Amino acid sequence: MLKFFQFIYTVWALLIFHVFMIILFPFFIIPSLISKKGSRLSFKAIRLWSFLFSFFNRIIYKVEGKKNFEKGQNYVIISNHTSFLDTPAIPQAIDAPFKALAKKELTKIPIFGIIIKTITEVVDRSNPQSRQRSKDRLNEVLRNENSILVFPEGTMNRTDKPLQGFYDGAFRIAIDAQAPILPVVIKGAAKLMKPSSFVMNPGKVYVKLLAPISTIGLTQKELPQLKAEVVEKMQAELLD
């Protein structure tokens, strides 16, 4: 009987996810296509979708540390990743536009690929020239437009460890742009929806914005120490 109700709830949750995604779809993409300032309206639509998804499914995001995000400052936001439910968490935690990094391969998915191209920064690592163009574009975004969100583990954590190994990309970006890193820790999402699973349960997800870490004056030589500091702070919070 419990599995039956879980199935019904999951179908309902997925329906809510897609219905509001379709309704708000024009607001996700059109403002950003018109102008760079339109990204603010696109972000508000994404944030509204997140709150509607949360409200109708009773998946409550409890956010701490909002004071650590200073409006007007662009960050490299670094978050752990354990569940699809992490995606609605960040727009609720951060009340300012940001761009998530996305792999070029995701743009090939029908319909979803259009959203990816519009509301994310697509990274092309196919050759040195493409990597350099992506790097230059990310520096421009950080200096003049929005914060950038990166899941440095590269994929959802399916291990029993608090964190998987972090890739260097997010830290290179932060050092290049001399932008502060804002670590974000998400706890409880995997209990409600396991990695690579569509089965959901209602409940609470805890999101905490940690104190920003400055990169002013750092060079790529200090990247390992910077990464180790971020990992240490996030891991301590996850184990608390």
Side-chain angles (χ1 to χ4, degrees):
M1 183 63 75
L2 181 62
K3 286 187 177 181
F4 172 75
F5 283 115
Q6 189 179 50
F7 172 77
I8 295 298
Y9 171 81
T10 299
V11 171
W12 166 260
L14 291 173
L15 182 65
I16 291 296
F17 179 98
H18 288 97
V19 165
F20 285 114
M21 181 73 75
I22 292 168
I23 291 172
L24 293 169
F25 179 80
F27 300 98
F28 290 166
I29 64 169
I30 293 174
S32 294
L33 291 174
I34 294 172
S35 72
K36 289 183 178 180
K37 291 184 179 179
S39 64
R40 295 187 176 276
L41 182 56
S42 293
F43 175 76
K44 288 184 181 296
I46 292 168
R47 198 160 191 255
L48 174 60
W49 166 81
S50 172
F51 279 111
L52 290 170
F53 173 79
S54 172
F55 176 79
F56 284 103
N57 294 322
R58 306 311 300 159
I59 296 174
I60 309 303
Y61 292 93
K62 306 290 287 185
V63 181
E64 294 182 46
K66 285 188 176 184
K67 63 181 181 181
N68 288 321
F69 185 93
E70 180 183 343
K71 286 191 176 182
Q73 172 67 60
N74 291 339
Y75 299 87
V76 175
I77 304 164
I78 288 181
S79 175
N80 62 313
H81 194 20
T82 62
S83 169
F84 285 116
L85 294 179
D86 296 337
T87 303
I90 309 297
Q92 292 199 27
I94 296 174
D95 185 13
F98 61 84
K99 291 284 190 78
L101 256 60
K103 298 177 183 178
K104 185 180 179 181
E105 292 74 16
L106 293 176
T107 64
K108 298 176 182 178
I109 302 173
I111 300 176
F112 182 70
I114 299 174
I115 299 177
I116 289 294
K117 286 181 181 178
T118 307
I119 67 174
T120 70
E121 286 298 327
V122 177
V123 177
D124 184 357
R125 301 186 181 96
S126 57
N127 57 63
Q129 292 78 16
S130 297
R131 287 195 293 272
Q132 184 61 46
R133 284 196 297 271
S134 294
K135 175 183 171 182
D136 293 342
R137 171 58 186 156
L138 293 173
N139 285 340
E140 180 188 345
V141 170
L142 280 167
R143 288 173 178 147
N144 304 312
E145 298 176 30
N146 300 311
S147 296
I148 288 175
L149 168 65
V150 185
F151 293 109
E153 294 166 290
T155 185
M156 281 187 278
N157 187 356
R158 295 171 174 82
T159 73
D160 57 359
K161 298 178 181 179
L163 292 170
Q164 297 182 109
F166 280 11
Y167 287 98
D168 291 345
F171 304 95
R172 286 201 186 97
I173 293 166
I175 291 172
D176 280 342
Q178 296 287 279
I181 290 174
L182 183 70
V184 176
V185 171
I186 302 173
K187 294 194 280 189
K191 291 181 181 179
L192 304 184
M193 186 178 187
K194 294 180 180 179
S196 302
S197 172
F198 287 105
V199 178
M200 286 185 238
N201 293 288
K204 292 181 180 179
V205 176
Y206 297 89
V207 187
K208 188 169 184 178
L209 280 59
L210 307 186
I213 298 171
S214 175
T215 63
I216 298 296
L218 297 185
T219 68
Q220 296 299 333
K221 289 182 179 179
E222 283 84 41
L223 189 152
Q225 295 95 314
L226 176 64
K227 181 166 71 169
E229 181 182 357
V230 174
V231 169
E232 182 182 356
K233 290 181 182 298
M234 292 178 68
Q235 191 159 272
E237 189 63 39
L238 285 165
L239 293 172
D240 186 13

